[in-house]
Amino acid sequence: CTLTWIHTLFTLVGMRLLLMAGMFQHKSLQLRQVLPLAAAYVGYIVLCNLSLQVNTVGFYQVMKIAVAPTVMLLDLIVFGIVPAPKVVASVVLVCLGIGIATVTDSTLVKHFYGICVGAAATLITALYQMWAGSKQKELQASSMQLLHQYTPQAALILGLLIPLMEPVGWASLTGNAAAAGNGKTILSYQYTPAAVAVIFVSAVLGLLVSLSTFLVIGCTSSLTYNVVGHLKTVIILTGGCLFFGDEMPPKKLLGVGVAMAGIVWYTQLKIGSAQAKLAAKAAEPLQLVVSDSSNGGSSSANGTRYNSSNGVDEGIMSPASLISPSMSTAKPRIVTTADKAAAALYYKPAASAVLPALHRPNR
């Protein structure tokens, strides 16, 4: 808890320095708006550390893997977001592969208390990640602005919890308390230059992790952030085998392969979804309806306006009528949004040269 508090303080100082350097603009947020996020951050840190302390490493890893399905469940309950079946299947495949590759303990569960702590850690972690994305949209704040605003509250809460969770006194521990740890308290520990250097490096990395977390979730989603985290696990396992001589037994290799298949599948689904959204957004201007109530004209579904008296199209007739206004016999008119969209659609390379000409009256 103390080390996390130091990391949070360093993150606060780092964000203030980035603000002074002009990396982002200050945005004031009310305490009640960011306090839930700060509390979720503290809860996720404390509960994850406690889960690792009271549970086996295998069960702790299983609970970490369960964060991704929990995020999907919370999105469904809180926001009504129903993920596509293929997305669910790809995430399940990723989680299954990571479980096969990393869980090696023969006995996962020690006691019921450990199950409760692990489940609570998974739930609060998923809630924190979900809020990290939704609060950015709700408060209209960037990743840096939100991180800068909630960090002071998080540091205060952690500072209040330290005396309750860790020994602070000047004297070293004795008896059973010393047997449970190394006998050192926060203030009695000898902070050598090497130890201070390690703490400083870890604090810098903590700042980068917090910032990258908010950036990734803000640009994508909390579910994608979890998939990226599992990709990191695959890279660590593979890199350890390639560069440090770690063993790669068939079970671990199978898990890595299954996880990578799920990651690739999930990535393809997300890329296809993003391309479909861009195509739909690009087609929106073509659905505009150009109304002309002054001359009794009517509009078609694609934005083309017809003059009911002579049948002459005074709106979007064809690309030619847009490119050569002088060839048209229609009266001078104001160029509509649909006109510009049609010109950009048919003449994308020359759209910047064509559109200014549309503003010149016919002669």
Side-chain angles (χ1 to χ4, degrees):
C1 190
T2 303
L3 186 60
T4 303
W5 179 63
I6 295 174
H7 289 178
T8 307
L9 288 178
F10 191 89
T11 300
L12 175 59
V13 174
M15 296 309 297
R16 292 292 173 88
L17 293 177
L18 291 177
L19 176 63
M20 294 172 59
M23 296 296 294
F24 64 96
Q25 294 182 349
H26 177 75
K27 184 179 179 67
S28 297
L29 299 175
Q30 297 181 6
L31 176 62
R32 62 179 179 83
Q33 294 176 317
V34 296
L35 186 58
L37 183 61
Y41 166 78
V42 174
Y44 126 75
I45 292 293
V46 172
L47 288 174
C48 283
N49 290 338
L50 184 60
S51 177
L52 184 59
Q53 181 179 353
V54 301
N55 289 311
T56 63
V57 176
F59 185 77
Y60 172 79
Q61 187 65 32
V62 169
M63 290 294 97
K64 285 188 62 178
I65 295 172
V67 171
T70 306
V71 166
M72 290 191 293
L73 181 61
L74 288 178
D75 282 339
L76 176 62
I77 296 174
V78 178
F79 301 111
I81 300 176
V82 181
K86 290 184 178 180
V87 172
V88 176
S90 65
V91 172
V92 170
L93 195 63
V94 173
C95 295
L96 178 63
I98 295 297
I100 294 174
T102 59
V103 178
T104 57
D105 293 346
S106 57
T107 303
L108 293 180
V109 180
K110 287 184 176 180
H111 39 67
F112 181 73
Y113 172 69
I115 296 177
C116 294
V117 172
T122 299
L123 180 61
I124 199 67
T125 301
L127 187 63
Y128 168 69
Q129 294 176 1
M130 184 187 69
W131 276 345
S134 64
K135 288 292 184 180
Q136 294 184 44
K137 300 179 180 65
E138 175 188 342
L139 303 176
Q140 296 296 310
S142 67
S143 302
M144 289 186 173
Q145 288 172 336
L146 186 58
L147 183 60
H148 174 256
Q149 285 295 306
Y150 95 86
T151 306
Q153 287 77 28
L156 178 60
I157 297 174
L158 281 171
L160 295 175
L161 289 177
I162 287 176
L164 302 177
M165 302 187 66
E166 296 182 3
V168 184
W170 292 100
S172 298
L173 299 177
T174 58
N176 295 333
N182 58 5
K184 298 293 184 180
T185 64
I186 297 174
L187 297 179
S188 65
Y189 182 81
Q190 295 182 356
Y191 294 92
T192 62
V196 173
V198 171
I199 293 174
F200 176 78
V201 172
S202 66
V204 173
L205 294 177
L207 169 61
L208 296 177
V209 168
S210 298
L211 188 56
S212 62
T213 297
F214 274 72
L215 288 173
V216 171
I217 294 178
C219 294
T220 57
S221 67
S222 52
L223 182 60
T224 299
Y225 171 78
N226 277 274
V227 174
V228 172
H230 292 319
L231 175 61
K232 176 199 68 178
T233 302
V234 170
I235 294 175
I236 291 175
L237 295 175
T238 306
C241 177
L242 294 177
F243 302 108
F244 300 102
D246 293 348
E247 294 183 356
M248 182 64 76
K251 178 176 176 291
K252 182 184 293 187
L253 181 61
L254 174 63
V256 169
V258 172
M260 279 305 303
I263 292 171
V264 171
W265 189 14
Y266 179 86
T267 303
Q268 290 178 339
L269 293 173
K270 285 300 179 179
I271 291 176
S273 176
Q275 291 176 343
K277 290 180 180 179
L278 289 176
K281 187 175 182 180
E284 285 180 359
L286 299 180
Q287 304 299 323
L288 296 176
V289 178
V290 183
S291 60
D292 187 8
S293 57
S294 59
N295 59 7
S298 60
S299 301
S300 66
N302 62 0
T304 304
R305 188 176 68 250
Y306 296 96
N307 189 305
S308 57
S309 59
N310 55 15
V312 177
D313 177 12
E314 294 182 351
I316 306 173
M317 292 180 62
S318 66
S321 64
L322 292 172
I323 299 302
S324 304
S326 59
M327 298 176 62
S328 172
T329 59
K331 296 179 181 180
R333 59 185 175 82
I334 298 175
V335 179
T336 65
T337 304
D339 293 337
K340 297 179 182 180
L345 179 64
Y346 287 102
Y347 296 91
K348 290 181 180 178
S352 59
V354 169
L355 294 178
L358 297 176
H359 293 276
R360 294 197 296 267
N362 296 330
R363 297 177 180 174

